[in-house]
Amino acid sequence: MRVTKLTIAALAVVAGLSLTACQNEDVAAGPEPTASAPTANGDDTEQGEGHEQDQDQEGTDAGTGSNEDGEVADCRTDELEVTASDVTIEGDTVGTVAVEFANGGGRDCTLTGYAGVDLKTNAGQLSAERTGEEAPSVVLRDGKSVWFAVTYPVNDSGGSGVRVTGLVVTPPNETKSVTLDWPGGSSLPVTDGSGTPVKVGPIGSAGQGD
């Protein structure tokens, strides 16, 4: 009986080893790893496509200036080239300076409402009043320009008036200003407050590029 038991035990061990060897051969030669490879590759492909889509979307946002809600973000002072020129028609009693915002920020951006305008004078700083016209929101494309008007009373009084020494412009919704040379008449008439004030029109009130 002991011999029989040992023989049965030995056969069980041999059978177990043979079965393990067969299983190992089946794993090595079987199709299962090949079948799992497309699944792994498929996951990688989906992740890669998703990553590329994320990169494309981020690139679009950076290019257009859109935020997460799809709205075009406000223009920043550092993105704008600000210039001013006198466009007064000879003989007018009210002078006009056109201020240009040129977008050089590498993205589209939005200008809404009125810019802040102050005149530096020898009598102190003078803030321009808003005209009260409707103030639209303008999407300023990269590389394009928009203008707004600053009007002021022409000094035809014969006196020296109030000498204007500079123009301070602050883009809408910004706190950083740009100081420019004043291109208009060299002085404003001295009044008792009943004269024509310096006024600023909304963005686009003096023209807009395509």
Side-chain angles (χ1 to χ4, degrees):
M1 294 299 292
R2 179 178 300 175
V3 172
T4 303
K5 289 182 180 180
L6 289 174
T7 301
I8 293 173
L11 288 174
V13 170
V14 171
L17 292 174
S18 298
L19 179 60
T20 302
C22 291
Q23 287 177 341
N24 289 339
E25 289 176 359
D26 290 341
V27 169
E32 289 187 0
T34 304
S36 65
T39 303
N41 291 338
D43 290 343
D44 291 343
T45 300
E46 291 175 359
Q47 291 174 358
E49 289 176 351
H51 182 62
E52 288 176 0
Q53 289 174 354
D54 289 343
Q55 288 180 332
D56 290 342
Q57 291 172 355
E58 289 172 2
T60 300
D61 289 347
T64 62
S66 301
N67 60 23
E68 294 179 353
D69 298 326
E71 298 177 352
V72 180
D74 289 339
C75 298
R76 298 304 178 193
T77 303
D78 291 339
E79 298 174 320
L80 301 172
E81 181 180 353
V82 187
T83 56
S85 58
D86 187 17
V87 294
T88 303
I89 298 174
E90 187 175 357
D92 282 356
T93 58
V94 176
T96 303
V97 166
V99 179
E100 177 184 3
F101 285 147
N103 184 0
R107 67 179 182 95
D108 298 347
C109 60
T110 300
L111 291 167
T112 304
Y114 288 80
V117 172
D118 297 282
L119 271 58
K120 289 185 173 183
T121 76
N122 62 338
Q125 193 153 293
L126 174 65
S127 295
E129 299 178 8
R130 295 181 177 183
T131 60
E133 299 172 70
E134 182 180 355
S137 180
V138 175
V139 175
L140 186 58
R141 303 299 181 186
D142 182 36
K144 299 299 183 179
S145 296
V146 67
W147 292 261
F148 65 91
V150 178
T151 57
Y152 62 95
V154 174
N155 183 17
D156 55 5
S157 64
S160 59
V162 177
R163 184 166 56 87
V164 183
T165 59
L167 173 65
V168 182
V169 178
T170 308
N173 301 318
E174 272 286 79
T175 57
K176 185 176 182 179
S177 301
V178 175
T179 300
L180 307 171
D181 292 333
W182 171 248
S186 60
S187 65
L188 304 175
V190 177
T191 68
D192 57 3
S194 60
T196 303
V198 177
K199 289 189 175 183
V200 55
I203 299 297
S205 59
Q208 182 176 343
D210 296 332

